[in-house]
Amino acid sequence: MTRHFLFSLLLLSAMSVLVGCKSSRQAASASGWEQKASPGRPSDRPLPVPDKSLPSGRLIAEAESWLGVPYKYGGNDRKGVDCSGLVLQVYRQALNISMPRNSKAQKDFCTPAKTSELLPGDLVFFATGRDRSRVSHVGIYLGDNRMIHASTNGVVVSDITVPYYTRTFAGAGFVGQYRAMIDDAGRRKHDDNLAMADRKTKKKEKAKGKPRPEPESRPAPKPEPDPCPEPTEPLNPAPAMEEPAGRAPEPVTTQPAAPVPASEPRPAAEPAVSPLPVAAATAQPQAEPTTEDARRAVRSNLKEKKLNQQ
């Protein structure tokens, strides 16, 4: 009986050393109790097909490629890997992002987030050792309350809402560089979707034979009429006065200039000097009269006749 009890105790101690995912050898013994206390079995629900054109899709596809790899404390390759080694390799291989080596340092490396804010590819942390304040396990969140992680059963998918993981949950967070990649890829995908929708619309309209309406072109405005147009032809000059037919022009006579009257002497102390007589102006020879001169002469004679008759 005593021998059987000692053999059972030795077997349990050996199992507690071999199982678990801890950041130290001392914490590894508690990992066996973790698997006894929780289901720790792979989830039976099918996994969604990741879109590898997005950063999250590449990350999840790389994590799923590790499913079934056996657990190995301190392992860092497909021959055997622990929880923090899995996270390190997945982020490096999928997105070329460098991560710390142990789960506590990975939690400090992340930006804290609520579980309702998590996206596929973010990280969830647990304190599965005796020290409930120390992070000792990490998993990659897949969405739908599931994570992929390296447990004592190897790399599996587990439900984080089971009592064991809700009791040991120690927080969640995201890698800032990973979230920046998601935002940038989301903007590019949005632009690609708009361009694809536009191409589909053009293809449908071309198949129907209805070309897309071109923007209307407005005609050039007509010039307004000039309110004060300038004459295009020269104005007709006023007609020249014609001489009456059968009437000869009258000879032009010149009148002698009238003598200039003597100006009255101003009262002064000195005697006034009598003005000298002004000689009559002699007629100067006239040039040949023009038609205009003849016309003025006729008018002048007519006025003098009227004055004499009065």
Side-chain angles (χ1 to χ4, degrees):
M1 182 68 180
T2 305
R3 184 180 298 178
H4 181 70
F5 176 75
L6 292 176
F7 178 77
S8 300
L9 184 60
L10 182 61
L11 180 62
L12 289 174
S13 300
M15 290 179 60
S16 65
V17 172
L18 293 174
V19 296
C21 176
K22 302 299 174 181
S23 58
S24 65
R25 290 289 184 183
Q26 183 179 1
S29 60
S31 178
W33 179 84
E34 170 189 341
Q35 294 303 320
K36 293 177 183 178
S38 68
R41 297 182 178 87
S43 174
D44 296 333
R45 287 176 292 174
L47 296 174
V49 178
D51 183 359
K52 293 185 179 180
S53 64
L54 299 176
S56 58
R58 295 195 297 272
L59 188 72
I60 298 304
E62 176 64 24
E64 291 178 357
S65 70
W66 286 73
L67 288 172
V69 173
Y71 174 82
K72 179 181 179 182
Y73 179 82
N76 204 32
D77 53 32
R78 294 182 184 270
K79 295 180 180 180
V81 68
D82 60 10
C83 59
S84 59
L86 174 67
V87 171
L88 183 146
Q89 289 296 333
V90 168
Y91 267 83
R92 177 185 294 170
Q93 297 297 330
L95 304 175
N96 197 26
I97 296 177
S98 298
M99 296 287 292
R101 181 59 182 88
N102 63 74
S103 56
K104 182 180 183 304
Q106 288 174 355
K107 184 177 187 298
D108 296 337
F109 184 77
C110 290
T111 300
K114 298 178 180 179
T115 53
S116 59
E117 301 171 346
L118 292 178
L119 299 177
D122 293 339
L123 303 180
V124 285
F125 301 95
F126 304 89
T128 57
R130 293 189 178 90
D131 186 357
R132 297 298 181 180
S133 63
R134 180 180 177 81
V135 172
S136 55
H137 190 66
V138 60
I140 301 174
Y141 185 71
L142 298 176
D144 194 23
N145 292 325
R146 292 186 294 176
M147 68 173 175
I148 185 169
H149 63 125
S151 72
T152 53
N153 293 327
V155 179
V156 296
V157 176
S158 299
D159 191 336
I160 64 175
T161 61
V162 297
Y164 175 76
Y165 288 118
T166 57
R167 184 174 66 254
T168 59
F169 181 72
F174 60 84
V175 179
Q177 189 176 352
Y178 169 58
R179 283 293 186 94
M181 289 181 177
I182 292 178
D183 294 341
D184 185 59
R187 286 191 294 268
R188 289 200 305 269
K189 192 170 184 65
H190 176 71
D191 296 340
D192 293 342
N193 290 338
L194 291 180
M196 184 179 298
D198 187 59
R199 287 194 297 269
K200 289 182 179 179
T201 303
K202 289 181 180 179
K203 189 175 181 179
K204 289 180 181 179
E205 291 176 350
K206 186 176 181 180
K208 293 179 181 179
K210 296 181 180 180
R212 301 182 71 180
E214 299 293 336
E216 299 181 358
S217 58
R218 297 182 179 179
K222 297 181 179 180
E224 297 182 359
D226 190 355
C228 299
E230 296 182 356
T232 56
E233 297 180 359
L235 298 176
N236 295 329
M241 294 182 64
E242 298 181 358
E243 295 291 336
R247 185 173 181 179
E250 297 182 3
V252 179
T253 58
T254 58
Q255 298 293 334
V260 178
S263 59
E264 296 181 359
R266 295 182 181 179
E270 298 180 358
V273 180
S274 59
L276 297 176
V278 179
T282 58
Q284 298 292 333
Q286 299 291 331
E288 184 179 354
T290 63
T291 305
E292 186 64 26
D293 294 337
R295 190 182 298 115
R296 284 198 299 267
V298 170
R299 292 192 191 120
S300 178
N301 291 337
L302 289 175
K303 288 181 181 181
E304 289 180 358
K305 288 178 181 181
K306 288 181 181 181
L307 291 175
N308 293 336
Q309 290 177 1
Q310 293 179 359

